[in-house]
Amino acid sequence: MKISLPSDSKMHSKEFTFGVATASFQIEGAADSRLPCIWDTFCATPDKIRDGSDGKQACEHVALWKDDVELIESLGVDAYRLSISWGRVINQDGSLNQEGVSFYTNLMDNLIARGIKVYATLYHWDLPQHIEDQGGWLNRKTAYLFQDYADKITQALGDRVHSYATLNEPFCSSYLGYEIGIHAPGLATKAYGRKSAHHLLLAHGLAMQVIQKNCPNALNGIVLNFTPCYPYSDKPADIKASQIADDYFNQWYIKPIMNGKYPEIINDFDDGDKPDIEPGDMDIISQPIDFLGINFYTRAVYQACSENQFEQIDMKDAPKTDIGWEIYPAAFTDLLTSLHNTYTLPPIYITENGAAMDDKIVDDAVNDLDRLEYYQAHLNAVNDAIEQGVKIDGYFAWSLMDNFEWAEGYLKRFGIVYVDYQTQKRTIKHSGLAYRDFISQRAE
Ligand code: FCB
């Protein structure tokens, strides 16, 4: 089975970037050569990770990076999206860790030599633990520490990086990490979600200032995740519930960046639950970005509920991936067109999209037709959005290879490359081969 798009698709153009994505904590291993981070602590806390695993070895990418670069090259992609581990490149006293910086400069130089563009995210959730010990993202000071890290690392990496993203999915850091506690640092207080989110967004804005100064030629922006919210029925109360959920989970993160304000629902919050906004913050947060990264996996369906205003409904009979996320590609097109209609957006990159499937390796092959179908349907959905006038310049498959899937440990496989964690052998899955073939045909 192949991946294909209509012959007149703009995604066939060489101007459109195709890539694969990973994140530092999920693949690097080599925990001893960096500072401990909140995910090390979270993994060491009983019952937080489904298989009791951690990121100490992961895909041993720090040791195997040269092989991994060859693997990436063999897929024929234009770009590789990775994240920098803050605690690998910055020492506890704030100075640069040269050994850590060299790891990334060597990796990047090698990618560039093979014609692969580097898309680097500065924060994919691995906050150094010593900063968490001072309050983490609940402490406004963390935003300034992030700015300092961004300043130093972008000077060190400079033009090697084609595109810098400040943060990956601040929703996950703040809501999952500080409001409901299923991600590190595992705090679960309603007010913490909004307070940490504000400091994350402030950190994004402060970092943008120094990145634009240090690397004016790079494409600089942020990566947000969206889970579009649908009403369970046509009843006005359900429609209203889905709108409130959308403001709470999705618009909360994009509106401050694009329009310099939080959604109106902020006025309904108790004073104690509101973020601590200081004069000038919203201007810092809403400065221009060169691109918007969008991560999409699934949708969510809501009905009205008096207690919490909205309640998510499990779509029992709907097709789902192995992680339980509904497969609903039409929501991807809806999302892209509705963001385009709501905001004045810079060019969009799909910075993550992909599926966990119950892969079986047989005779050195993984016949993951289910994942391939997921990719086909979602690439079609992106193409549909482009046809409807949305400017989308790139697409990254999540993920290059199976890796540490946060609270699910190693139980869920998102790679287009299979990883045997005992031997660290990588095997390109059928979906990866189809992605490679699709990309190479486009080049002809
Ligand atoms: C996203 C994360 C990424 C990965 C995928 C499945 O929310 O950015 O690290 O875990 O989900």
Side-chain angles (χ1 to χ4, degrees):
M1 207 182 141
K2 288 185 173 173
I3 293 176
S4 63
L5 285 173
S7 57
D8 61 348
S9 167
K10 290 200 175 131
M11 294 166 78
H12 285 303
S13 140
K14 268 309 237 177
E15 308 298 300
F16 193 91
T17 298
F18 277 102
V20 283
T22 62
S24 46
F25 190 86
Q26 294 179 278
I27 66 162
E28 284 184 357
D32 293 346
S33 51
R34 57 161 172 77
L35 297 178
C37 75
I38 54 175
W39 275 92
D40 296 310
T41 312
F42 196 63
C43 292
T45 312
D47 302 328
K48 296 296 184 192
I49 310 297
R50 274 228 301 162
D51 59 358
S53 64
D54 56 42
K56 288 191 189 119
Q57 266 93 39
C59 304
E60 295 185 24
H61 173 68
V62 168
L64 301 174
W65 68 269
K66 284 190 182 147
D67 297 338
D68 288 337
V69 168
E70 277 177 24
L71 177 67
I72 296 166
E73 186 184 29
S74 80
L75 293 170
V77 291
D78 309 307
Y80 174 47
R81 174 174 177 245
L82 57 91
S83 82
I84 312 279
S85 158
W86 186 343
R88 190 176 290 292
V89 296
I90 300 285
N91 296 314
Q92 193 151 344
D93 65 2
S95 62
L96 273 180
N97 176 335
Q98 287 305 340
E99 200 190 315
V101 172
S102 296
F103 166 67
Y104 292 109
T105 53
N106 290 337
L107 170 66
M108 291 177 181
D109 287 343
N110 217 291
L111 288 160
I112 294 162
R114 293 159 199 258
I116 300 163
K117 290 189 185 122
V118 178
Y119 283 62
T121 299
L122 298 185
Y123 185 71
H124 201 125
W125 310 353
D126 39 4
L127 186 72
Q129 181 62 43
H130 70 96
I131 300 178
E132 179 59 35
D133 294 342
Q134 304 295 315
W137 290 112
L138 294 172
N139 184 349
R140 185 178 172 92
K141 211 178 139 212
T142 299
Y144 291 88
L145 292 177
F146 182 72
Q147 182 185 40
D148 189 53
Y149 151 51
D151 190 19
K152 291 190 171 119
I153 194 66
T154 54
Q155 286 187 52
L157 300 176
D159 289 345
R160 290 181 180 88
V161 175
H162 179 79
S163 166
Y164 283 105
T166 53
L167 308 177
N168 177 71
E169 303 187 350
F171 158 83
C172 292
S173 300
S174 57
Y175 181 74
L176 303 182
Y178 289 85
E179 185 162 336
I180 63 168
I182 61 169
H183 276 191
L187 302 181
T189 299
K190 182 154 192 283
Y192 287 178
R194 303 296 122 174
K195 290 185 193 297
S196 58
H198 184 68
H199 294 147
L200 279 151
L201 291 170
L202 180 65
H204 153 75
L206 291 168
M208 279 303 291
Q209 295 174 339
V210 293
I211 301 172
Q212 294 291 37
K213 181 162 70 64
N214 295 341
C215 305
N217 299 326
L219 197 65
N220 303 319
I222 186 170
V223 171
L224 302 177
N225 63 305
F226 293 87
T227 302
C229 302
Y230 287 75
Y232 185 60
S233 77
D234 296 343
K235 286 189 204 143
D238 287 348
I239 294 172
K240 179 94 181 115
S242 70
Q243 286 164 346
I244 297 172
D246 184 51
D247 278 348
Y248 202 72
F249 296 124
N250 298 318
Q251 309 306 323
W252 195 270
Y253 302 87
I254 184 170
K255 192 165 180 167
I257 295 171
M258 293 303 157
N259 294 355
K261 45 183 169 207
Y262 285 107
E264 294 293 316
I265 52 165
I266 193 172
N267 300 319
D268 304 332
F269 291 2
D270 292 344
D271 276 348
D273 288 344
K274 289 182 183 167
D276 306 309
I277 306 172
E278 294 196 3
D281 282 3
M282 301 315 286
D283 290 338
I284 295 172
I285 291 171
S286 62
Q287 68 193 281
I289 51 176
D290 303 333
F291 83 99
L292 173 66
I294 292 182
N295 294 352
F296 173 87
Y297 291 92
T298 187
R299 69 158 179 171
V301 177
Y302 293 91
Q303 71 177 10
C305 131
S306 51
E307 216 179 297
N308 299 319
Q309 296 176 289
F310 53 79
E311 177 183 39
Q312 195 179 345
I313 302 288
D314 177 21
M315 301 303 278
K316 285 202 183 63
D317 300 323
K320 294 188 177 144
T321 63
D322 191 41
I323 200 166
W325 299 349
E326 185 184 353
I327 302 174
Y328 197 84
F332 204 0
T333 314
D334 289 353
L335 166 72
L336 293 163
T337 51
S338 93
L339 290 177
H340 173 75
N341 293 333
T342 309
Y343 300 104
T344 306
L345 296 177
I348 291 171
Y349 282 74
I350 308 304
T351 30
E352 285 180 30
N353 177 232
M357 294 295 179
D358 185 16
D359 297 324
K360 300 276 177 275
I361 185 150
V362 180
D363 295 337
D364 254 353
V366 179
N367 199 17
D368 57 338
L369 293 182
D370 41 10
R371 180 177 291 103
L372 202 161
E373 278 169 16
Y374 181 99
Y375 276 115
Q376 177 67 68
H378 288 77
L379 287 165
N380 285 342
V382 174
N383 191 52
D384 289 348
I386 294 174
E387 277 182 4
Q388 290 175 48
V390 187
K391 181 156 170 52
I392 304 170
D393 286 352
Y395 176 97
F396 290 77
W398 181 273
S399 175
L400 163 66
M401 57 185 161
D402 297 334
N403 56 49
F404 176 79
E405 179 45 37
W406 309 113
E408 302 289 326
Y410 296 96
L411 297 175
K412 300 298 168 201
R413 294 180 176 272
F414 271 93
I416 58 172
V417 172
Y418 186 90
V419 176
D420 177 331
Y421 295 112
Q422 301 305 316
T423 61
Q424 290 297 343
K425 183 171 177 214
R426 279 77 158 127
T427 304
I428 304 179
K429 300 177 192 178
H430 193 80
S431 59
L433 297 172
Y435 193 55
R436 176 195 70 186
D437 292 348
F438 165 71
I439 292 170
S440 74
Q441 277 156 22
R442 175 199 57 140
E444 281 163 17

